[in-house]
mmCIF file of all heavy atoms in Angstrom:
data_model
loop_
_atom_site.group_PDB
_atom_site.id
_atom_site.type_symbol
_atom_site.label_atom_id
_atom_site.label_comp_id
_atom_site.label_asym_id
_atom_site.label_seq_id
_atom_site.Cartn_x
_atom_site.Cartn_y
_atom_site.Cartn_z
ATOM 1 N N GLN T 6 -14.327 -5.123 -5.019
ATOM 2 C CA GLN T 6 -14.162 -6.571 -5.101
ATOM 3 C C GLN T 6 -13.242 -6.908 -6.255
ATOM 4 O O GLN T 6 -12.970 -6.060 -7.104
ATOM 5 C CB GLN T 6 -15.516 -7.252 -5.299
ATOM 6 C CG GLN T 6 -16.146 -6.916 -6.639
ATOM 7 C CD GLN T 6 -17.538 -7.510 -6.817
ATOM 8 O OE1 GLN T 6 -18.349 -7.483 -5.903
ATOM 9 N NE2 GLN T 6 -17.792 -8.032 -8.002
ATOM 10 N N LYS T 7 -12.792 -8.166 -6.268
ATOM 11 C CA LYS T 7 -11.979 -8.626 -7.397
ATOM 12 C C LYS T 7 -12.819 -8.635 -8.668
ATOM 13 O O LYS T 7 -14.021 -8.894 -8.624
ATOM 14 C CB LYS T 7 -11.415 -10.019 -7.134
ATOM 15 C CG LYS T 7 -10.229 -9.987 -6.202
ATOM 16 C CD LYS T 7 -9.413 -11.260 -6.294
ATOM 17 C CE LYS T 7 -8.126 -11.059 -5.502
ATOM 18 N NZ LYS T 7 -7.263 -12.215 -5.574
ATOM 19 N N VAL T 8 -12.177 -8.350 -9.785
ATOM 20 C CA VAL T 8 -12.844 -8.370 -11.080
ATOM 21 C C VAL T 8 -13.293 -9.792 -11.384
ATOM 22 O O VAL T 8 -12.541 -10.748 -11.184
ATOM 23 C CB VAL T 8 -11.895 -7.850 -12.185
ATOM 24 C CG1 VAL T 8 -12.437 -8.120 -13.575
ATOM 25 C CG2 VAL T 8 -11.642 -6.362 -12.002
ATOM 26 N N GLU T 9 -14.511 -9.911 -11.873
ATOM 27 C CA GLU T 9 -15.040 -11.187 -12.326
ATOM 28 C C GLU T 9 -15.225 -11.108 -13.839
ATOM 29 O O GLU T 9 -15.159 -10.023 -14.425
ATOM 30 C CB GLU T 9 -16.359 -11.486 -11.607
ATOM 31 C CG GLU T 9 -16.147 -11.653 -10.108
ATOM 32 C CD GLU T 9 -17.430 -11.782 -9.307
ATOM 33 O OE1 GLU T 9 -18.528 -11.708 -9.894
ATOM 34 O OE2 GLU T 9 -17.325 -11.954 -8.081
ATOM 35 N N ILE T 13 -15.162 -7.623 -17.165
ATOM 36 C CA ILE T 13 -14.051 -7.315 -18.068
ATOM 37 C C ILE T 13 -14.428 -6.251 -19.097
ATOM 38 O O ILE T 13 -13.676 -5.290 -19.299
ATOM 39 C CB ILE T 13 -13.532 -8.594 -18.768
ATOM 40 C CG1 ILE T 13 -12.920 -9.549 -17.738
ATOM 41 C CG2 ILE T 13 -12.517 -8.255 -19.854
ATOM 42 C CD1 ILE T 13 -11.702 -9.046 -17.013
ATOM 43 N N VAL T 16 -14.626 -2.814 -17.545
ATOM 44 C CA VAL T 16 -13.265 -2.397 -17.181
ATOM 45 C C VAL T 16 -12.528 -1.899 -18.428
ATOM 46 O O VAL T 16 -11.880 -0.838 -18.396
ATOM 47 C CB VAL T 16 -12.503 -3.556 -16.495
ATOM 48 C CG1 VAL T 16 -11.001 -3.341 -16.524
ATOM 49 C CG2 VAL T 16 -12.994 -3.723 -15.060
ATOM 50 N N MET T 43 -4.349 -5.088 -23.381
ATOM 51 C CA MET T 43 -4.871 -4.825 -22.042
ATOM 52 C C MET T 43 -5.710 -6.014 -21.575
ATOM 53 O O MET T 43 -5.533 -6.506 -20.448
ATOM 54 C CB MET T 43 -5.703 -3.537 -22.052
ATOM 55 C CG MET T 43 -6.148 -3.078 -20.699
ATOM 56 S SD MET T 43 -4.761 -2.491 -19.730
ATOM 57 C CE MET T 43 -5.591 -2.031 -18.231
ATOM 58 N N TYR T 47 -2.158 -7.598 -19.979
ATOM 59 C CA TYR T 47 -1.943 -6.810 -18.769
ATOM 60 C C TYR T 47 -2.914 -7.160 -17.637
ATOM 61 O O TYR T 47 -2.491 -7.345 -16.500
ATOM 62 C CB TYR T 47 -1.983 -5.316 -19.081
ATOM 63 C CG TYR T 47 -0.889 -4.918 -20.043
ATOM 64 C CD1 TYR T 47 -1.190 -4.444 -21.314
ATOM 65 C CD2 TYR T 47 0.456 -5.052 -19.691
ATOM 66 C CE1 TYR T 47 -0.178 -4.112 -22.215
ATOM 67 C CE2 TYR T 47 1.470 -4.724 -20.581
ATOM 68 C CZ TYR T 47 1.139 -4.255 -21.832
ATOM 69 O OH TYR T 47 2.136 -3.929 -22.711
ATOM 70 N N LEU T 48 -4.197 -7.254 -17.929
ATOM 71 C CA LEU T 48 -5.148 -7.598 -16.870
ATOM 72 C C LEU T 48 -4.869 -8.983 -16.276
ATOM 73 O O LEU T 48 -4.862 -9.125 -15.048
ATOM 74 C CB LEU T 48 -6.589 -7.478 -17.357
ATOM 75 C CG LEU T 48 -7.098 -6.043 -17.578
ATOM 76 C CD1 LEU T 48 -8.498 -6.059 -18.177
ATOM 77 C CD2 LEU T 48 -7.067 -5.227 -16.300
ATOM 78 N N PRO T 49 -4.611 -10.006 -17.107
ATOM 79 C CA PRO T 49 -4.338 -11.332 -16.509
ATOM 80 C C PRO T 49 -3.071 -11.377 -15.645
ATOM 81 O O PRO T 49 -2.973 -12.236 -14.765
ATOM 82 C CB PRO T 49 -4.190 -12.248 -17.731
ATOM 83 C CG PRO T 49 -4.975 -11.580 -18.809
ATOM 84 C CD PRO T 49 -4.776 -10.103 -18.557
ATOM 85 N N LEU T 50 -2.127 -10.478 -15.860
ATOM 86 C CA LEU T 50 -0.894 -10.462 -15.062
ATOM 87 C C LEU T 50 -1.092 -9.827 -13.686
ATOM 88 O O LEU T 50 -0.231 -9.948 -12.826
ATOM 89 C CB LEU T 50 0.209 -9.691 -15.801
ATOM 90 C CG LEU T 50 0.825 -10.384 -17.007
ATOM 91 C CD1 LEU T 50 1.760 -9.437 -17.740
ATOM 92 C CD2 LEU T 50 1.562 -11.646 -16.581
ATOM 93 N N SER T 51 -2.212 -9.136 -13.513
ATOM 94 C CA SER T 51 -2.429 -8.333 -12.308
ATOM 95 C C SER T 51 -3.552 -8.893 -11.450
ATOM 96 O O SER T 51 -4.388 -9.656 -11.920
ATOM 97 C CB SER T 51 -2.811 -6.901 -12.706
ATOM 98 O OG SER T 51 -1.826 -6.319 -13.517
ATOM 99 N N GLU T 52 -3.564 -8.439 -10.190
ATOM 100 C CA GLU T 52 -4.744 -8.583 -9.344
ATOM 101 C C GLU T 52 -5.580 -7.360 -9.646
ATOM 102 O O GLU T 52 -5.117 -6.228 -9.483
ATOM 103 C CB GLU T 52 -4.361 -8.554 -7.865
ATOM 104 C CG GLU T 52 -3.896 -9.848 -7.315
ATOM 105 C CD GLU T 52 -3.595 -9.730 -5.831
ATOM 106 O OE1 GLU T 52 -4.306 -9.009 -5.096
ATOM 107 O OE2 GLU T 52 -2.616 -10.357 -5.414
ATOM 108 N N ASN T 53 -6.811 -7.573 -10.085
ATOM 109 C CA ASN T 53 -7.662 -6.463 -10.525
ATOM 110 C C ASN T 53 -8.859 -6.322 -9.600
ATOM 111 O O ASN T 53 -9.530 -7.307 -9.293
ATOM 112 C CB ASN T 53 -8.124 -6.704 -11.956
ATOM 113 C CG ASN T 53 -6.953 -6.832 -12.901
ATOM 114 O OD1 ASN T 53 -6.254 -5.871 -13.162
ATOM 115 N ND2 ASN T 53 -6.720 -8.033 -13.399
ATOM 116 N N TYR T 54 -9.106 -5.089 -9.177
ATOM 117 C CA TYR T 54 -10.215 -4.781 -8.281
ATOM 118 C C TYR T 54 -11.083 -3.716 -8.930
ATOM 119 O O TYR T 54 -10.571 -2.788 -9.558
ATOM 120 C CB TYR T 54 -9.693 -4.260 -6.939
ATOM 121 C CG TYR T 54 -8.887 -5.288 -6.198
ATOM 122 C CD1 TYR T 54 -7.510 -5.370 -6.362
ATOM 123 C CD2 TYR T 54 -9.512 -6.202 -5.369
ATOM 124 C CE1 TYR T 54 -6.769 -6.333 -5.699
ATOM 125 C CE2 TYR T 54 -8.770 -7.179 -4.697
ATOM 126 C CZ TYR T 54 -7.405 -7.236 -4.872
ATOM 127 O OH TYR T 54 -6.685 -8.197 -4.228
ATOM 128 N N ILE T 55 -12.397 -3.872 -8.743
ATOM 129 C CA ILE T 55 -13.333 -2.863 -9.248
ATOM 130 C C ILE T 55 -14.022 -2.197 -8.076
ATOM 131 O O ILE T 55 -14.146 -2.775 -6.994
ATOM 132 C CB ILE T 55 -14.402 -3.468 -10.184
ATOM 133 C CG1 ILE T 55 -15.082 -4.662 -9.528
ATOM 134 C CG2 ILE T 55 -13.822 -3.803 -11.541
ATOM 135 C CD1 ILE T 55 -16.314 -5.158 -10.258
ATOM 136 N N PHE T 65 -11.519 0.865 -11.713
ATOM 137 C CA PHE T 65 -10.754 -0.328 -11.370
ATOM 138 C C PHE T 65 -9.310 0.029 -11.073
ATOM 139 O O PHE T 65 -8.824 1.099 -11.454
ATOM 140 C CB PHE T 65 -10.823 -1.367 -12.501
ATOM 141 C CG PHE T 65 -9.956 -1.059 -13.692
ATOM 142 C CD1 PHE T 65 -8.704 -1.651 -13.832
ATOM 143 C CD2 PHE T 65 -10.381 -0.167 -14.663
ATOM 144 C CE1 PHE T 65 -7.902 -1.356 -14.918
ATOM 145 C CE2 PHE T 65 -9.584 0.125 -15.756
ATOM 146 C CZ PHE T 65 -8.338 -0.469 -15.892
ATOM 147 N N ALA T 66 -8.654 -0.890 -10.386
ATOM 148 C CA ALA T 66 -7.224 -0.775 -10.104
ATOM 149 C C ALA T 66 -6.587 -2.130 -10.362
ATOM 150 O O ALA T 66 -7.199 -3.167 -10.116
ATOM 151 C CB ALA T 66 -6.989 -0.352 -8.662
ATOM 152 N N SER T 67 -5.364 -2.099 -10.876
ATOM 153 C CA SER T 67 -4.597 -3.313 -11.144
ATOM 154 C C SER T 67 -3.311 -3.263 -10.327
ATOM 155 O O SER T 67 -2.581 -2.267 -10.380
ATOM 156 C CB SER T 67 -4.262 -3.428 -12.632
ATOM 157 O OG SER T 67 -5.446 -3.514 -13.397
ATOM 158 N N LEU T 68 -3.060 -4.335 -9.600
ATOM 159 C CA LEU T 68 -1.921 -4.408 -8.687
ATOM 160 C C LEU T 68 -1.034 -5.591 -9.065
ATOM 161 O O LEU T 68 -1.526 -6.703 -9.238
ATOM 162 C CB LEU T 68 -2.443 -4.597 -7.261
ATOM 163 C CG LEU T 68 -1.418 -4.761 -6.146
ATOM 164 C CD1 LEU T 68 -0.607 -3.485 -5.942
ATOM 165 C CD2 LEU T 68 -2.118 -5.161 -4.846
ATOM 166 N N ALA T 76 -0.274 -0.889 -11.207
ATOM 167 C CA ALA T 76 -0.119 -0.882 -12.662
ATOM 168 C C ALA T 76 -1.177 -0.025 -13.341
ATOM 169 O O ALA T 76 -0.951 0.484 -14.432
ATOM 170 C CB ALA T 76 -0.163 -2.314 -13.195
ATOM 171 N N ALA T 77 -2.345 0.121 -12.700
ATOM 172 C CA ALA T 77 -3.423 0.904 -13.302
ATOM 173 C C ALA T 77 -4.381 1.359 -12.217
ATOM 174 O O ALA T 77 -4.632 0.637 -11.257
ATOM 175 C CB ALA T 77 -4.179 0.066 -14.337
ATOM 176 N N LEU T 93 -10.466 3.341 -3.882
ATOM 177 C CA LEU T 93 -9.717 2.201 -4.430
ATOM 178 C C LEU T 93 -8.275 2.212 -3.924
ATOM 179 O O LEU T 93 -7.738 1.176 -3.531
ATOM 180 C CB LEU T 93 -9.722 2.250 -5.957
ATOM 181 C CG LEU T 93 -10.783 1.455 -6.681
ATOM 182 C CD1 LEU T 93 -10.737 1.738 -8.182
ATOM 183 C CD2 LEU T 93 -10.649 -0.032 -6.424
ATOM 184 N N LEU T 97 -6.163 -0.548 -1.488
ATOM 185 C CA LEU T 97 -4.874 -1.183 -1.782
ATOM 186 C C LEU T 97 -3.828 -0.843 -0.725
ATOM 187 O O LEU T 97 -3.011 -1.692 -0.360
ATOM 188 C CB LEU T 97 -4.389 -0.776 -3.174
ATOM 189 C CG LEU T 97 -5.280 -1.240 -4.327
ATOM 190 C CD1 LEU T 97 -4.759 -0.685 -5.640
ATOM 191 C CD2 LEU T 97 -5.386 -2.750 -4.379
#
Side-chain angles (χ1 to χ4, degrees):
Q6 66 184 43
K7 282 198 171 182
V8 168
E9 296 173 358
I13 295 296
V16 161
M43 187 69 180
Y47 298 115
L48 288 175
L50 287 173
S51 303
E52 277 182 37
N53 301 291
Y54 296 91
I55 51 169
F65 76 98
S67 298
L68 177 66
L93 265 174
L97 296 176

